[in-house]
Amino acid sequence: MSHWVKYENKTFENTNMKLLSKAMRTLGYGLDNTCKSIRNAWGESQCDCAITKDNKTLSLGFKKNDKNILELVGDFYGTGVDERTFLDKVAQQYQSERIQNVLRDNRWEIENVTKNKNNEIVINAYEFTF
């Protein structure tokens, strides 16, 4: 059933767009920063970037609100994206990318990144001290 949504997640406060783009690619999506409006037959919304899948613009995007938090806006109907889990998966992957970035900036070596049986991301990293 089609309905336009607006979801907010505190994870996306002061979002690093490069890390979000990397997280989206890891999940099999892309971001089109040139697209400022999303639509389908049932509505439309302004956005700061549209979400893409297989080079096709979906009726979903991100828009920064007045609290400097990126909101997910749009309509999931017909996109093939699971509305119940999508934003949590994006937030989880974004945090993983952010933490890996902090580790690399602090000269930690990332050995591997995996998911455990609870679908939680596990980052194995180490630091050499002299």
Side-chain angles (χ1 to χ4, degrees), residues 7 12 14 20 34 36 40 61 65-66 69 77 96 102-103 106 109 111-112 115 126:
Y7 293 129
F12 299 116
N14 300 313
L20 179 61
T34 64
K36 302 301 180 190
N40 64 15
N65 68 19
D66 59 353
I69 298 174
Y77 187 75
S96 173
V102 169
L103 288 168
N106 287 289
E109 293 292 325
E111 189 171 308
N112 60 38
K115 286 195 176 184
Y126 57 90

Side-chain angles (χ1 to χ4, degrees), residues 19-38:
L19 293 178
L20 179 61
S21 183
K22 187 174 182 182
M24 294 296 287
R25 281 192 310 274
T26 300
L27 294 172
Y29 298 94
L31 293 178
D32 182 350
N33 294 309
T34 64
C35 185
K36 302 301 180 190
S37 176
I38 52 171

Side-chain angles (χ1 to χ4, degrees), residues 24 28 36 41 43 50-51 54 59 62 89 92 101 104 110 121:
M24 294 296 287
K36 302 301 180 190
I51 297 172
D54 301 325
S59 57
F62 287 103
K89 286 180 181 178
Q92 180 189 44
N101 197 50
R104 283 190 293 272
I110 298 172
I121 296 174

